Amino acid sequence: REAQRLVQGLEGEVGVSMVHLQTGRSVHVNGQRAFPLASVMKLPVAVHILTLVDEGQLTLGQTVTLTEADIYPEMGGPMDLHLSAGSAISVRDLLHMMITVSDNNATDILLRLGGGTAAVNTRMQQLGIEGIRIDRYIWELLANYYGHPASQQQPLDGAGYAAVANSPRTPAQRRAHIDAWNADPRDTASTAAIATLLQQVWQGRVLSDGSTNVLKQIMAQTRTGSGRLRGVLPPRTPVAHKTGTVGDVINDAGVITLPDGKGEVVVAVLMQSTADTAQRERTIADLARAAHDYFLFVE
């Protein structure tokens, strides 16, 4: 009832899934509806890359030497500010940058290393997880958000992307582009599917123990979205999570560790809302607190 109340208080559409890992008790509101993932898509990418590590096809310590084509300026994240062609970076550091600061260039490099978006989708199918679609590299996804028909068949280089990102748009054009992007079925998932993926990872059913711990440690160091899942939890509550933000979309998905040995709770919130950022983030924070308090004091 509390989850429904909080969702109804926000203009727009919100999906919520909460799963208590130790008992399996769950709460879903619009849990099967597909929402744009934005950067929450980096979770299935990370799982795929770490599975390749477990399979011996990649190693965390192997390095990638960057070329000019690897760096898209204006795309978000520190890579284009601090690294350049000729720099070398390890797979583990790429994973860390992709999750903790949501670096988009790091994401696209990992997607390429992992065999592209189709390979991530195949991995999700192999895990038996329905309802997650990964279709585009970040440079295409964001170019499409700006209204440009970029695709892997019609690629943009870094300079072309920067020109698109900085091109002037009227408010009406911007709204039309956002509405079209919101309605696109690509790069979407349900909260139930994202919660299932996190549940399987945390229960050690997807990755080796070593890779599971790597992902947990990296997600626990996430620096984005401090006002979302973490927003109104008690101080020092451990939260391992991944955020996503594009236009009307403000998302967060992760695992909250309860005190007193009461276990862990997966909370996934995906939304499309024109409410202001503070209200959208506070809704996620209140949902996380509701899950925390219920499974700590009631369940």
Side-chain angles (χ1 to χ4, degrees):
R1 286 195 299 270
E2 179 66 0
Q4 289 173 334
R5 183 187 71 82
L6 291 168
V7 165
Q8 290 166 359
L10 186 71
E11 180 181 353
E13 296 291 329
V14 185
V16 183
S17 290
M18 308 167 175
V19 183
H20 186 241
L21 293 180
Q22 282 63 36
T23 64
R25 288 288 304 279
S26 63
V27 173
H28 302 275
V29 180
N30 298 327
Q32 298 299 328
R33 185 189 188 281
F35 287 88
L37 284 167
S39 285
V40 174
M41 59 88 71
K42 296 166 185 177
L43 284 177
V45 173
V47 169
H48 174 58
I49 292 298
L50 286 168
T51 305
L52 292 176
V53 170
D54 289 341
E55 294 172 349
Q57 298 185 55
L58 295 173
T59 68
L60 290 175
Q62 77 183 68
T63 57
V64 177
T65 300
L66 303 180
T67 69
E68 292 287 351
D70 290 321
I71 306 295
Y72 279 65
E74 308 292 332
M75 203 161 71
M79 182 174 286
D80 66 307
L81 298 176
H82 301 294
L83 297 178
S84 59
S87 299
I89 185 168
S90 71
V91 169
R92 193 189 193 288
D93 286 340
L94 286 167
L95 283 166
H96 191 274
M97 293 177 73
M98 177 176 73
I99 297 296
T100 62
V101 293
S102 210
D103 191 283
N104 291 323
N105 284 298
T107 306
D108 283 351
I109 293 168
L110 286 172
L111 271 171
R112 176 171 54 79
L113 282 178
T117 56
V120 180
N121 287 326
T122 298
R123 184 71 64 187
M124 295 299 104
Q125 292 164 8
Q126 290 170 345
L127 295 174
I129 298 176
E130 301 291 335
I132 295 177
R133 286 187 57 170
I134 307 300
D135 299 282
R136 291 169 288 186
Y137 285 77
I138 300 291
W139 63 261
E140 338 174 41
L141 184 152
L142 290 178
N144 295 164
Y145 173 77
Y146 293 125
H148 191 281
S151 68
Q152 292 170 53
Q153 291 71 43
Q154 294 179 281
L156 288 172
D157 61 12
Y161 173 82
V164 168
N166 291 312
S167 62
R169 296 181 296 163
T170 66
Q173 288 172 326
R174 182 176 185 275
R175 187 67 252 171
H177 294 158
I178 292 174
D179 289 343
W181 191 87
N182 286 345
D184 197 319
R186 294 176 295 173
D187 301 290
T188 59
S190 67
T191 56
I194 293 297
T196 297
L197 178 61
L198 287 170
Q199 181 179 12
Q200 291 192 11
V201 168
W202 250 251
Q203 292 175 338
R205 295 156 55 191
V206 173
L207 302 168
S208 68
D209 289 348
S211 290
T212 298
N213 288 333
V214 166
L215 186 54
K216 287 181 176 181
Q217 290 167 6
I218 291 175
M219 289 177 64
Q221 297 171 35
T222 291
R223 301 173 194 172
T224 57
S226 60
R228 301 183 195 180
L229 290 185
R230 297 178 181 273
V232 294
L233 292 173
R236 295 179 295 280
T237 299
V239 182
H241 65 124
K242 180 70 197 83
T243 60
T245 310
V246 179
D248 295 346
V249 173
I250 284 187
N251 299 332
D252 206 355
V255 180
I256 300 166
T257 300
L258 303 175
D260 304 326
K262 292 297 184 71
E264 297 162 305
V265 183
V266 173
V267 179
V269 185
L270 306 175
M271 70 170 65
Q272 290 174 298
S273 171
T274 56
D276 63 60
T277 297
Q279 185 181 1
R280 288 181 287 168
E281 291 196 330
R282 182 55 188 251
T283 297
I284 295 175
D286 288 342
L287 285 162
R289 184 61 188 250
H292 173 280
D293 291 357
Y294 178 80
F295 289 108
L296 178 61
F297 299 117
V298 179
E299 172 59 27

